[in-house]
Amino acid sequence: MKKTLCILALILAVALTGCRRQEAGPATPPEGPETPPETAPLAVEELRLEILKTDQRSEDLLAAVRVLPERLRTALAERGVEAESVRLTVGASAAASVEAVESGGVDAAFLPADLLAAQETTAAVTLVSGPADGDAVGRTALLFAAPTEYGANLAGRPAPTWEELSRARWAVTEGTAAEWGAALWLADRCEGKTLADLPDLTEYSSEADLLSAAAAGEVDLFALDTAQSAQVAAVLPEAAVLRETERLYDGAVLAGTVDVRLTEALAGAVNALLEQDGEDGQLLRAVLDAEADTRYRTAPAGALDAQRHLAALG
């Protein structure tokens, strides 16, 4: 009898051990770095892009329509976007291109930022362009107080009034971000008054001429592109920076829908072509009216607000 009980107890112990092993489940694998799954390419049946006819030569536009779609398709594929085809058209006006985007006839339009800012649209500004500035693009300007008696007086005032500012001798370079940035700064600070309201304003055709006038004591306040700050420091080391103006852009891309992967890939593809020294890069720069250092970046929120304000000022 005792022998039988021992055998039963042994069988029960083995059974309980098996249950505990089943409850414990499979062994946990050792912790380690996970291998992220490969991102599948983004498939696009057709990508319809539009550029604007402004002052480009007709032969450049025709060549762009013929050559650039395949170049862009290849560059997009290298960035994970596989488009079966890329179509490039030429818009007759900024208004026509905006309408094409809004109606769905075009997926994205490359437009000058100032012309786009003057249009009313519900479509999204996805990319902006301008000279590369670190991780950003675009142009800012610096407002300087020249080392004249009145300039030094204004430099020492944290919030000069319109009356005080309007008594200064102003200078800007015509048709530059510095001129537009100074106009915006005044309008924001002085209840809409701008450069046109200044009694003493001289518009110079070059930065060199402006700096020469400032060095001769003929200017109290002046604005120059931030990129010219080293030249200002060399010619007028005593000039004081009063303000950096808002960022302005050369170009922008308007899109009917926003896809982050497609937006980033398009920026990368366009930038890759802009960087090329060969015919493709030259052609793209010509039809986009882009400079050698122009690059496209994802547009920050409210990217064109400053230029819309500028357009409203007339």
Side-chain angles (χ1 to χ4, degrees):
M1 183 66 178
K2 289 182 179 178
K3 184 176 180 181
T4 301
L5 290 175
C6 289
I7 293 173
L8 289 174
L10 180 62
I11 293 172
L12 180 60
V14 172
L16 290 173
T17 302
C19 290
R20 283 196 295 270
R21 286 177 179 172
Q22 288 180 355
E23 291 172 358
T28 302
E31 293 185 2
E34 294 184 1
T35 303
E38 293 186 6
T39 302
L42 175 64
V44 178
E45 184 175 349
E46 183 181 45
L47 183 60
R48 301 160 301 174
L49 305 175
E50 186 156 290
I51 56 178
L52 183 64
K53 176 176 174 54
T54 51
D55 296 328
Q56 305 96 326
R57 300 185 306 167
S58 297
E59 52 265 38
D60 286 338
L61 292 171
L62 290 173
V65 170
R66 185 180 68 254
V67 173
L68 291 181
E70 186 59 28
R71 303 293 188 272
L72 288 170
R73 194 181 75 82
T74 300
L76 285 168
E78 293 171 352
R79 289 157 180 80
V81 174
E82 295 183 352
E84 291 185 19
S85 68
V86 174
R87 179 164 62 90
L88 185 63
T89 55
V90 179
S93 67
S97 292
V98 169
E99 183 179 354
V101 171
E102 291 179 338
S103 66
V106 169
D107 296 312
F110 289 75
L111 297 167
D114 58 338
L115 296 184
L116 178 55
Q119 302 293 319
E120 292 186 3
T121 178
T122 57
V125 177
T126 56
L127 297 174
V128 287
S129 72
D133 182 13
D135 293 333
V137 294
R139 304 172 190 272
T140 61
L142 296 174
L143 181 63
F144 292 92
T148 61
E149 181 179 355
Y150 197 70
N153 180 33
L154 288 175
R157 301 182 64 80
T161 65
W162 166 253
E163 288 72 20
E164 293 167 330
L165 291 169
S166 65
R167 285 198 292 269
R169 297 169 297 172
W170 283 72
V172 295
T173 43
E174 186 176 5
T176 63
E179 180 179 28
W180 304 325
L184 280 172
W185 182 80
L186 276 174
D188 288 338
R189 189 178 196 79
C190 303
E191 299 180 348
K193 294 185 182 298
T194 186
L195 295 177
D197 299 303
L198 292 170
D200 192 344
L201 170 68
T202 303
E203 293 180 314
Y204 290 89
S205 59
S206 71
E207 288 84 359
D209 289 344
L210 188 155
L211 283 174
S212 294
E218 300 169 4
V219 172
D220 299 313
L221 294 179
F222 64 95
L224 283 175
D225 289 359
T226 303
Q228 307 294 328
S229 58
Q231 296 181 30
V232 177
V235 176
L236 288 170
E238 297 178 358
V241 176
L242 296 185
R243 183 76 57 170
E244 183 174 15
T245 67
E246 296 184 73
R247 186 171 296 273
L248 303 175
Y249 301 99
D250 293 347
V253 174
L254 188 71
T257 58
V258 179
D259 183 295
V260 174
R261 285 184 63 189
L262 180 56
T263 297
E264 293 177 350
L266 183 59
V270 172
N271 288 338
L273 291 182
L274 288 173
E275 292 169 6
Q276 293 183 9
D277 293 328
E279 293 182 2
D280 294 343
Q282 293 175 10
L283 181 58
L284 184 58
R285 289 193 292 272
V287 296
L288 292 182
D289 195 21
E291 299 178 2
D293 60 350
T294 294
R295 297 294 180 268
Y296 282 80
R297 297 280 190 274
T298 300
L304 297 188
D305 285 354
Q307 279 162 281
R308 290 192 178 101
H309 186 189
L310 189 63
L313 292 176

